[in-house]
DNA sequence: CGTGAAAAAGCGGCGTC
DNA sequence: GACGCCGCTTTTTCACG
Protein backbone atom coordinates (compact mmCIF):
# COMPACT_ATOMS: atom_id res chain seq x y z
CA UNK A 1 0.00 0.00 0.00
CA UNK A 2 1.49 3.23 -1.10
CA UNK A 3 0.89 5.41 1.88
CA UNK A 4 1.45 8.97 1.06
CA UNK A 5 1.44 11.40 3.88
CA UNK A 6 -1.93 10.28 5.06
CA UNK A 7 -3.23 12.58 7.70
CA UNK A 8 -6.00 10.85 9.54
CA UNK A 9 -7.55 14.19 10.21
CA UNK A 10 -9.56 15.27 7.31
CA UNK A 11 -11.55 18.31 6.50
CA UNK A 12 -10.81 21.45 8.47
CA UNK A 13 -12.59 20.00 11.43
CA UNK A 14 -9.51 18.70 13.13
CA UNK A 15 -9.31 19.27 16.82
CA UNK A 16 -7.47 22.34 18.00
CA UNK A 17 -3.99 21.31 19.06
CA UNK A 18 -4.33 22.67 22.58
CA UNK A 19 -7.86 21.71 23.47
CA UNK A 20 -8.21 20.96 27.15
CA UNK A 21 -8.79 17.29 27.83
CA UNK A 22 -12.25 16.07 28.67
CA UNK A 23 -12.98 15.34 32.30
CA UNK A 24 -15.58 12.98 33.67
CA UNK A 25 -18.24 15.70 33.66
CA UNK A 26 -17.72 16.27 29.96
CA UNK A 27 -17.94 12.57 29.23
CA UNK A 28 -21.11 12.23 31.26
CA UNK A 29 -22.64 15.13 29.36
CA UNK A 30 -21.63 13.62 26.02
CA UNK A 31 -23.12 10.29 26.98
CA UNK A 32 -26.46 12.00 27.42
CA UNK A 33 -26.29 14.24 24.37
CA UNK A 34 -25.36 11.50 21.96
CA UNK A 35 -28.48 9.66 23.03
CA UNK A 36 -30.78 12.68 23.09
CA UNK A 37 -29.57 16.19 22.48
CA UNK A 38 -32.96 17.68 23.30
CA UNK A 39 -32.44 16.91 26.97
CA UNK A 40 -32.76 20.19 28.89
CA UNK A 41 -29.57 21.47 30.46
CA UNK A 42 -31.41 21.51 33.76
CA UNK A 43 -31.89 17.74 33.67
CA UNK A 44 -28.38 17.14 32.46
CA UNK A 45 -27.17 19.18 35.40
CA UNK A 46 -29.14 17.08 37.85
CA UNK A 47 -27.81 13.90 36.31
CA UNK A 48 -24.16 14.94 36.53
CA UNK A 49 -24.38 17.14 39.65
CA UNK A 50 -23.69 20.46 38.01
CA UNK A 51 -25.66 23.65 37.54
CA UNK A 52 -27.38 24.29 34.24
CA UNK A 53 -25.06 27.18 33.28
CA UNK A 54 -22.03 25.01 33.94
CA UNK A 55 -23.47 22.37 31.64
CA UNK A 56 -24.15 25.03 29.05
CA UNK A 57 -20.58 26.35 29.17
CA UNK A 58 -19.15 22.87 28.76
CA UNK A 59 -21.40 22.07 25.84
CA UNK A 60 -20.47 25.27 24.09
CA UNK A 61 -16.80 24.63 24.65
CA UNK A 62 -17.04 21.14 23.25
CA UNK A 63 -18.93 22.40 20.23
CA UNK A 64 -16.28 24.99 19.51
CA UNK A 65 -13.51 22.48 20.07
CA UNK A 66 -15.07 20.10 17.58
CA UNK A 67 -15.71 17.39 20.15
CA UNK A 68 -19.37 17.74 19.29
CA UNK A 69 -19.28 17.71 15.52
CA UNK A 70 -22.93 18.50 14.95
CA UNK A 71 -26.45 18.23 16.29
CA UNK A 72 -28.77 16.36 13.99
CA UNK A 73 -32.05 14.54 13.67
CA UNK A 74 -31.64 10.91 12.61
CA UNK A 75 -34.13 10.03 9.92
CA UNK A 76 -35.40 6.57 9.23
CA UNK A 77 -34.35 5.93 5.60
CA UNK A 78 -37.36 3.72 4.91
CA UNK A 79 -39.64 6.60 5.82
CA UNK A 80 -38.27 8.77 3.05
CA UNK A 81 -38.32 6.15 0.35
CA UNK A 82 -34.83 4.68 0.76
CA UNK A 83 -35.52 1.32 2.41
CA UNK A 84 -32.46 -0.52 1.06
CA UNK A 85 -28.98 -0.20 2.52
CA UNK A 86 -26.01 -1.56 0.61
CA UNK A 87 -22.32 -1.85 1.38
CA UNK A 88 -19.90 -1.74 -1.51
CA UNK A 89 -16.20 -2.53 -1.56
CA UNK A 90 -14.49 -0.76 -4.42
CA UNK A 91 -11.10 -1.65 -5.80
CA UNK A 92 -9.38 0.76 -8.18
CA UNK A 93 -7.06 0.02 -11.06
CA UNK A 94 -4.63 2.74 -10.20
CA UNK A 95 -3.93 4.30 -6.83
CA UNK A 96 -2.43 7.43 -8.24
CA UNK A 97 -3.25 10.38 -6.07
CA UNK A 98 -5.25 12.28 -8.65
CA UNK A 99 -7.35 9.25 -9.40
CA UNK A 100 -7.97 8.57 -5.73
CA UNK A 101 -9.00 12.14 -5.22
CA UNK A 102 -11.24 12.05 -8.25
CA UNK A 103 -12.98 8.98 -6.84
CA UNK A 104 -13.40 10.67 -3.47
CA UNK A 105 -14.96 13.63 -5.17
CA UNK A 106 -17.34 11.57 -7.22
CA UNK A 107 -18.51 9.45 -4.29
CA UNK A 108 -18.92 12.51 -2.08
CA UNK A 109 -21.10 14.20 -4.63
CA UNK A 110 -23.43 11.26 -5.07
CA UNK A 111 -26.45 11.72 -2.80
CA UNK A 112 -27.15 8.01 -2.44
CA UNK A 113 -23.68 7.52 -0.99
CA UNK A 114 -24.23 7.93 2.73
CA UNK A 115 -20.77 7.06 3.90
CA UNK A 116 -17.49 6.81 2.03
CA UNK A 117 -14.25 5.67 3.57
CA UNK A 118 -10.84 5.39 1.97
CA UNK A 119 -9.34 2.24 3.44
CA UNK A 120 -6.33 -0.02 3.51
CA UNK A 121 -6.63 -3.70 2.74
CA UNK A 122 -7.99 -5.57 -0.22
CA UNK A 123 -10.20 -2.70 -1.24
CA UNK A 124 -9.65 1.00 -1.67
CA UNK A 125 -13.05 2.36 -0.74
CA UNK A 126 -15.99 1.22 1.26
CA UNK A 127 -19.30 2.85 0.53
CA UNK A 128 -22.58 2.74 2.37
CA UNK A 129 -25.43 3.45 0.02
CA UNK A 130 -29.19 3.78 0.45
CA UNK A 131 -31.61 3.37 -2.44
CA UNK A 132 -35.30 2.99 -3.08
CA UNK A 133 -35.00 -0.37 -4.82
CA UNK A 134 -32.54 -2.62 -6.60
CA UNK A 135 -33.26 -0.95 -9.90
CA UNK A 136 -31.96 2.28 -8.48
CA UNK A 137 -28.86 0.48 -7.24
CA UNK A 138 -28.29 -1.08 -10.61
CA UNK A 139 -28.47 2.32 -12.25
CA UNK A 140 -26.04 3.63 -9.69
CA UNK A 141 -23.52 0.87 -10.34
CA UNK A 142 -23.62 1.77 -14.00
CA UNK A 143 -22.83 5.36 -13.26
CA UNK A 144 -20.29 4.92 -10.48
CA UNK A 145 -18.52 1.68 -11.30
CA UNK A 146 -19.06 0.42 -14.83
CA UNK A 147 -18.90 3.96 -16.08
CA UNK A 148 -15.58 4.54 -14.39
CA UNK A 149 -12.72 2.70 -16.01
CA UNK A 150 -10.51 3.19 -13.00
CA UNK A 151 -12.77 0.83 -11.04
CA UNK A 152 -11.26 -2.65 -11.31
CA UNK A 153 -14.02 -4.39 -9.43
CA UNK A 154 -16.58 -3.98 -6.71
CA UNK A 155 -18.39 -6.29 -4.34
CA UNK A 156 -21.94 -5.71 -3.19
CA UNK A 157 -23.45 -6.58 0.18
CA UNK A 158 -27.13 -5.94 0.62
CA UNK A 159 -28.20 -5.35 4.20
CA UNK A 160 -30.94 -7.67 5.34
CA UNK A 161 -30.97 -6.46 8.92
CA UNK A 162 -29.67 -3.36 10.60
CA UNK A 163 -28.54 -5.05 13.77
CA UNK A 164 -26.89 -1.98 15.23
CA UNK A 165 -26.92 1.56 13.91
CA UNK A 166 -24.06 3.05 15.77
CA UNK A 167 -24.24 6.70 16.28
CA UNK A 168 -22.93 6.37 19.74
CA UNK A 169 -19.27 6.45 20.49
CA UNK A 170 -18.01 4.22 23.27
CA UNK A 171 -17.08 6.66 26.01
CA UNK A 172 -14.46 5.88 28.62
CA UNK A 173 -15.82 5.33 32.11
CA UNK B 1 -39.71 10.63 -9.97
CA UNK B 2 -42.80 10.35 -7.83
CA UNK B 3 -43.22 12.77 -5.03
CA UNK B 4 -45.16 10.44 -2.81
CA UNK B 5 -43.46 7.53 -1.24
CA UNK B 6 -44.23 4.01 -2.29
CA UNK B 7 -44.55 1.06 0.03
CA UNK B 8 -42.10 1.16 2.84
CA UNK B 9 -41.48 -2.26 4.15
CA UNK B 10 -38.11 -3.41 5.30
CA UNK B 11 -38.12 -6.23 7.80
CA UNK B 12 -38.44 -5.34 11.42
CA UNK B 13 -38.04 -1.65 10.84
CA UNK B 14 -41.52 -1.03 9.57
CA UNK B 15 -43.24 2.21 10.37
CA UNK B 16 -46.33 2.38 12.51
CA UNK B 17 -49.32 1.47 10.38
CA UNK B 18 -51.40 4.15 8.71
CA UNK B 19 -49.01 7.00 9.27
CA UNK B 20 -49.92 9.84 6.94
CA UNK B 21 -47.52 10.24 4.04
CA UNK B 22 -44.94 12.99 4.08
CA UNK B 23 -45.66 16.07 2.04
CA UNK B 24 -43.19 18.57 0.67
CA UNK B 25 -43.34 20.63 3.88
CA UNK B 26 -42.31 17.63 5.93
CA UNK B 27 -39.43 16.86 3.60
CA UNK B 28 -38.24 20.45 3.72
CA UNK B 29 -38.33 20.37 7.50
CA UNK B 30 -36.43 17.08 7.59
CA UNK B 31 -33.79 18.46 5.26
CA UNK B 32 -33.09 21.18 7.79
CA UNK B 33 -33.28 19.06 10.92
CA UNK B 34 -30.93 16.38 9.67
CA UNK B 35 -28.35 19.08 9.14
CA UNK B 36 -28.96 20.96 12.39
CA UNK B 37 -31.73 20.08 14.77
CA UNK B 38 -31.04 23.10 16.96
CA UNK B 39 -32.49 25.38 14.29
CA UNK B 40 -35.31 27.37 15.91
CA UNK B 41 -38.77 26.50 14.68
CA UNK B 42 -39.27 30.14 13.83
CA UNK B 43 -36.42 30.02 11.30
CA UNK B 44 -37.59 26.71 9.92
CA UNK B 45 -41.01 28.26 9.50
CA UNK B 46 -39.58 31.16 7.56
CA UNK B 47 -37.63 28.80 5.34
CA UNK B 48 -40.60 26.65 4.47
CA UNK B 49 -43.35 29.30 4.68
CA UNK B 50 -45.14 27.97 7.71
CA UNK B 51 -45.76 29.27 11.20
CA UNK B 52 -43.62 28.02 14.06
CA UNK B 53 -46.44 26.05 15.72
CA UNK B 54 -47.20 24.32 12.44
CA UNK B 55 -43.56 23.31 12.18
CA UNK B 56 -43.68 22.07 15.73
CA UNK B 57 -46.76 19.94 15.14
CA UNK B 58 -45.20 18.34 12.08
CA UNK B 59 -41.98 17.59 13.90
CA UNK B 60 -43.83 15.98 16.78
CA UNK B 61 -45.91 13.91 14.42
CA UNK B 62 -42.84 12.67 12.58
CA UNK B 63 -41.12 11.82 15.85
CA UNK B 64 -44.08 9.76 17.00
CA UNK B 65 -44.37 8.09 13.61
CA UNK B 66 -40.70 7.08 13.74
CA UNK B 67 -39.75 9.12 10.70
CA UNK B 68 -37.40 10.99 12.99
CA UNK B 69 -35.71 8.14 14.78
CA UNK B 70 -33.80 10.26 17.28
CA UNK B 71 -32.16 13.58 17.99
CA UNK B 72 -28.50 13.26 18.79
CA UNK B 73 -25.21 15.06 19.12
CA UNK B 74 -22.58 13.67 16.76
CA UNK B 75 -19.31 13.22 18.60
CA UNK B 76 -15.92 13.23 16.94
CA UNK B 77 -14.50 9.79 17.79
CA UNK B 78 -10.94 11.06 17.88
CA UNK B 79 -11.91 13.52 20.60
CA UNK B 80 -12.95 10.74 22.94
CA UNK B 81 -9.94 8.54 22.39
CA UNK B 82 -11.23 6.42 19.52
CA UNK B 83 -9.36 7.80 16.49
CA UNK B 84 -9.34 4.61 14.43
CA UNK B 85 -12.27 3.40 12.36
CA UNK B 86 -12.23 -0.14 10.98
CA UNK B 87 -14.56 -2.05 8.69
CA UNK B 88 -14.76 -5.80 9.14
CA UNK B 89 -16.39 -8.38 6.92
CA UNK B 90 -17.29 -11.47 8.88
CA UNK B 91 -18.06 -14.84 7.39
CA UNK B 92 -19.61 -17.53 9.57
CA UNK B 93 -19.18 -21.29 9.42
CA UNK B 94 -22.82 -22.03 9.90
CA UNK B 95 -25.78 -19.90 9.05
CA UNK B 96 -28.16 -21.64 11.36
CA UNK B 97 -30.62 -19.23 12.83
CA UNK B 98 -29.57 -19.61 16.44
CA UNK B 99 -25.95 -19.02 15.54
CA UNK B 100 -26.79 -15.98 13.46
CA UNK B 101 -28.80 -14.59 16.32
CA UNK B 102 -26.05 -15.32 18.78
CA UNK B 103 -23.61 -13.40 16.60
CA UNK B 104 -26.01 -10.49 16.33
CA UNK B 105 -26.31 -10.40 20.07
CA UNK B 106 -22.60 -10.50 20.67
CA UNK B 107 -21.82 -7.76 18.16
CA UNK B 108 -24.62 -5.59 19.48
CA UNK B 109 -23.33 -5.85 23.00
CA UNK B 110 -19.78 -4.87 22.10
CA UNK B 111 -19.32 -1.14 22.69
CA UNK B 112 -16.60 -0.74 20.09
CA UNK B 113 -18.96 -2.03 17.42
CA UNK B 114 -20.60 1.11 16.11
CA UNK B 115 -22.57 -0.42 13.31
CA UNK B 116 -23.50 -4.02 12.59
CA UNK B 117 -25.34 -5.16 9.49
CA UNK B 118 -26.44 -8.64 8.55
CA UNK B 119 -25.87 -8.86 4.82
CA UNK B 120 -26.16 -11.02 1.76
CA UNK B 121 -23.18 -11.74 -0.44
CA UNK B 122 -19.77 -13.17 0.27
CA UNK B 123 -19.93 -12.19 3.91
CA UNK B 124 -22.55 -12.53 6.61
CA UNK B 125 -21.88 -9.45 8.68
CA UNK B 126 -20.29 -6.11 8.16
CA UNK B 127 -19.11 -4.27 11.23
CA UNK B 128 -17.93 -0.73 11.72
CA UNK B 129 -15.66 -0.50 14.71
CA UNK B 130 -13.86 2.37 16.43
CA UNK B 131 -10.86 1.82 18.68
CA UNK B 132 -8.12 3.77 20.40
CA UNK B 133 -5.26 1.97 18.64
CA UNK B 134 -4.42 -1.19 16.76
CA UNK B 135 -3.62 -3.00 19.97
CA UNK B 136 -7.19 -2.52 21.07
CA UNK B 137 -8.37 -3.84 17.73
CA UNK B 138 -6.15 -6.87 17.99
CA UNK B 139 -7.58 -7.62 21.42
CA UNK B 140 -11.05 -7.23 20.00
CA UNK B 141 -10.39 -9.65 17.15
CA UNK B 142 -9.27 -12.20 19.68
CA UNK B 143 -12.48 -11.85 21.62
CA UNK B 144 -14.94 -11.55 18.75
CA UNK B 145 -13.43 -13.64 15.97
CA UNK B 146 -10.67 -16.00 17.06
CA UNK B 147 -12.59 -16.69 20.24
CA UNK B 148 -15.70 -17.61 18.29
CA UNK B 149 -15.41 -20.88 16.46
CA UNK B 150 -18.40 -20.10 14.30
CA UNK B 151 -16.39 -17.37 12.60
CA UNK B 152 -14.82 -18.88 9.50
CA UNK B 153 -12.87 -15.81 8.51
CA UNK B 154 -12.86 -12.05 8.61
CA UNK B 155 -11.32 -9.29 6.54
CA UNK B 156 -10.13 -6.02 7.99
CA UNK B 157 -10.19 -2.61 6.33
CA UNK B 158 -8.66 0.25 8.25
CA UNK B 159 -10.05 3.66 7.37
CA UNK B 160 -7.41 6.17 6.35
CA UNK B 161 -9.81 8.90 5.43
CA UNK B 162 -13.41 9.56 6.31
CA UNK B 163 -14.37 10.97 2.96
CA UNK B 164 -18.07 11.21 3.75
CA UNK B 165 -19.79 10.63 7.05
CA UNK B 166 -23.31 10.21 5.93
CA UNK B 167 -25.94 10.78 8.48
CA UNK B 168 -28.02 12.57 5.98
CA UNK B 169 -30.57 10.71 3.94
CA UNK B 170 -31.12 11.78 0.35
CA UNK B 171 -34.54 13.38 0.39
CA UNK B 172 -36.75 13.55 -2.68
CA UNK B 173 -37.06 17.02 -4.19
C1' DC C 1 -53.23 26.39 9.97
C1' DG C 2 -52.27 30.97 12.32
C1' DT C 3 -52.38 34.18 16.36
C1' DG C 4 -51.04 35.41 20.95
C1' DA C 5 -50.16 34.44 25.74
C1' DA C 6 -47.95 31.43 29.26
C1' DA C 7 -44.30 28.30 30.46
C1' DA C 8 -39.75 26.73 29.82
C1' DA C 9 -35.34 26.72 28.21
C1' DG C 10 -31.26 29.05 26.64
C1' DC C 11 -27.95 32.65 27.50
C1' DG C 12 -25.01 36.24 29.86
C1' DG C 13 -23.22 38.94 33.79
C1' DC C 14 -21.42 39.14 38.37
C1' DG C 15 -19.73 37.66 42.84
C1' DT C 16 -17.27 33.79 45.07
C1' DC C 17 -14.24 30.11 45.90
C1' DG D 1 -10.19 29.46 35.81
C1' DA D 2 -14.73 27.34 36.92
C1' DC D 3 -18.85 27.26 39.57
C1' DG D 4 -23.44 28.85 41.14
C1' DC D 5 -27.00 32.38 41.50
C1' DC D 6 -29.37 35.76 39.67
C1' DG D 7 -31.97 38.19 35.84
C1' DC D 8 -33.13 38.90 30.65
C1' DT D 9 -34.11 37.01 26.05
C1' DT D 10 -35.51 33.56 22.99
C1' DT D 11 -37.86 29.45 22.13
C1' DT D 12 -41.16 26.21 22.92
C1' DT D 13 -45.81 25.05 23.98
C1' DC D 14 -50.76 25.28 24.23
C1' DA D 15 -54.89 27.71 24.43
C1' DC D 16 -58.42 29.39 20.92
C1' DG D 17 -60.31 31.34 16.49
Amino acid sequence: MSLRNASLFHRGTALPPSSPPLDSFDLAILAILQRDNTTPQRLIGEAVNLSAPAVQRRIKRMEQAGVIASNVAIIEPAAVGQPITIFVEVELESERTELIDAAKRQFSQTPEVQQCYYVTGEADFILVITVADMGAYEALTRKLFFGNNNVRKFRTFVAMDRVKVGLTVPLPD
Side-chain angles (χ1 to χ4, degrees), chain A:
Chain A
M1 103 189 122
S2 60
L3 243 289
R4 72 227 190 288
N5 179 21
S7 78
L8 285 176
F9 286 21
H10 169 249
R11 215 178 27 187
T13 57
L15 296 187
S18 61
S19 61
L22 304 177
D23 62 17
S24 60
F25 287 110
D26 293 319
L27 294 175
I29 292 169
L30 289 177
I32 294 172
L33 291 181
Q34 78 173 342
R35 233 190 104 253
D36 180 8
N37 73 350
T38 67
T39 311
Q41 294 164 356
R42 186 78 208 147
L43 292 181
I44 299 175
E46 290 175 13
V48 304
N49 290 317
L50 230 50
S51 72
V55 171
Q56 130 98 323
R57 283 189 283 260
R58 285 167 178 271
I59 292 175
K60 179 157 283 183
R61 187 187 315 146
M62 290 191 285
E63 284 174 347
Q64 291 175 344
V67 176
I68 296 174
S70 58
N71 288 282
V72 302
I74 301 299
I75 297 171
E76 176 62 42
V80 290
Q82 305 278 114
I84 299 180
T85 299
I86 296 176
F87 283 79
V88 189
E89 265 178 50
V90 182
E91 193 180 328
L92 298 188
E93 289 284 357
S94 160
E95 300 191 22
R96 277 178 43 223
T97 310
E98 317 93 76
L99 295 173
I100 293 282
D101 288 344
K104 288 184 183 179
R105 237 174 295 119
Q106 187 183 23
F107 295 147
S108 290
Q109 289 171 1
T110 303
E112 292 89 347
V113 175
Q114 301 297 313
Q115 302 177 40
C116 170
Y117 287 79
Y118 178 48
V119 300
T120 66
E122 300 173 53
D124 295 302
F125 286 95
I126 293 188
L127 310 180
V128 183
I129 291 175
T130 68
V131 287
D133 51 51
M134 290 311 287
Y137 178 62
E138 205 249 344
L140 205 59
T141 61
R142 238 173 256 171
K143 190 180 79 173
L144 290 182
F145 310 135
F146 293 115
N148 182 340
N149 55 10
N150 192 36
V151 172
R152 185 198 312 252
K153 67 174 188 177
F154 67 98
R155 302 166 83 202
T156 297
F157 304 87
V158 179
M160 291 185 290
D161 191 8
R162 299 206 275 146
V163 179
K164 189 173 186 177
V165 206
L167 311 133
T168 64
V169 171
L171 302 175
D173 303 318

